[in-house]
Amino acid sequence: MIKALLSLLLVLVAVSTSLAKQEKIVPTPAVKQEKLLPKWGKRIPQTLSRGWGDQLIWAQTYEEALYWSRSRNKPLLVIFHLEDCPHSLLLKKAFADDMDVQKALDKDFIVLNLMYETTDKHLSPDGQYVPRMVFVDPSMTVRADIVGRYTNRMYAYEPYDLELLLENMQMAKKLLKTEL
Amino acid sequence: MIKALLSLLLVLVAVSTSLAKQEKIVPTPAVKQEKLLPKWGKRIPQTLSRGWGDQLIWAQTYEEALYWSRSRNKPLLVIFHLEDCPHSLLLKKAFADDMDVQKALDKDFIVLNLMYETTDKHLSPDGQYVPRMVFVDPSMTVRADIVGRYTNRMYAYEPYDLELLLENMQMAKKLLKTEL
């Protein structure tokens, strides 16, 4: 009797395993996102910061960011990233945790983080990759001269490059044109 | 003695009132926003919904919204609004509270709310005003034919126009092109 039960159990385990295998569909990114969505009424509202610093005031779009940059005479930092890119995620964590970077941005910069490219080709001087950080002057000129340490991806930063980022922020504060 | 105290009190009240008057500065909108910002560490992260429906999945930018619309074959609703516009605020409240609108949008639409105009002139067929709601087909064609009830501002809606908006959403779901 115990043997019969054990056999039945084994069969059941085998069946459920094979069922589980059949159900395991490799999703495309879009499907994956839809599946991961919690049900109506249980979703946490999306933030504009997307984890890059909840205490910063983020512009929503490039147009908005340019307007703020011009009207407040502050340089703009545009961050391109993706939520499923490990390099972006590591940089984001270091960036959000670095109080020197965060406070300096809050005081003297307009900030914008984007997961989709804009139509402005000037924002991708050496290609569209992530993570990528580009400074824009209040005179609406992309500061292609302010680069990271990688010659093949000049606007990429790694988590341990935040000191260089702070130096670059200092450089960006020296405005190209003092009168607009 | 009591008279003297009362006089002193009156003088103090007068002085404090005049001081209060001196401190009352009428701020320009930009200054007002900066002044209203809570201190570092006390700010609530901004949401992408901006009050138009916390349970909806909002696109951040027009580029992102177009990509989602194309790839998921769902029409896009773009809402232009301003946070200091009373018409926008009343429409927003009615819109966010209307579960028929919200659930239909969640099921069949891509949604984007913007406070700054994009560079695409097609999104302002009869001018740049708020509140304004424009549908875009997954084939990336602005549905200028889907209008509200006002001939002078064809894409404006009032809070009591949500029935018409629902009808217009039905119209938008009849895609212009079934194959992309």
Side-chain angles (χ1 to χ4, degrees), chain A residues 42 95 134 140 173:
Chain A
K42 289 183 180 173
F95 182 95
V134 182
M140 295 173 71
K173 277 169 64 182

Side-chain angles (χ1 to χ4, degrees), chain A residues 41 43 46 55 58 60 113, chain B residues 41 43 46 55 58 60 113:
Chain A
R43 295 183 199 150
Q46 307 147 276
Q55 291 298 301
W58 294 89
Q60 182 185 350
N113 75 80
Chain B
R43 295 182 198 150
Q46 307 147 275
Q55 291 299 301
W58 294 90
Q60 181 185 349
N113 76 79

Side-chain angles (χ1 to χ4, degrees), chain A residues 157-176:
Chain A
Y157 292 81
E158 297 265 7
Y160 45 78
D161 291 336
L162 292 180
E163 274 299 317
L164 173 61
L165 181 67
L166 274 168
E167 286 168 28
N168 284 348
M169 285 164 59
Q170 285 299 323
M171 204 193 296
K173 277 169 64 182
K174 288 171 194 152
L175 308 179
L176 287 179

Side-chain angles (χ1 to χ4, degrees), chain A residues 33 40-43 46-48 50 55-56 58 60 63-64 67-68 72 106 113 116-117, chain B residues 33 41-43 46-48 50 55-56 58 60 63-64 67-68 72 103 106 113 116-117:
Chain A
Q33 198 192 351
W40 185 269
K42 289 183 180 173
R43 295 183 199 150
Q46 307 147 276
T47 62
L48 269 174
R50 295 196 191 262
Q55 291 298 301
L56 295 175
W58 294 89
Q60 182 185 350
E63 290 82 6
E64 185 171 357
Y67 178 81
W68 288 0
R72 297 174 196 173
D106 186 53
N113 75 80
Y116 284 76
E117 296 291 336
Chain B
Q33 198 192 352
K42 289 182 180 173
R43 295 182 198 150
Q46 307 147 275
T47 62
L48 269 174
R50 294 194 191 264
Q55 291 299 301
L56 295 175
W58 294 90
Q60 181 185 349
E63 291 81 7
E64 185 170 357
Y67 178 82
W68 288 0
R72 299 175 196 172
K103 295 217 165 182
D106 187 51
N113 76 79
Y116 284 77
E117 297 291 337

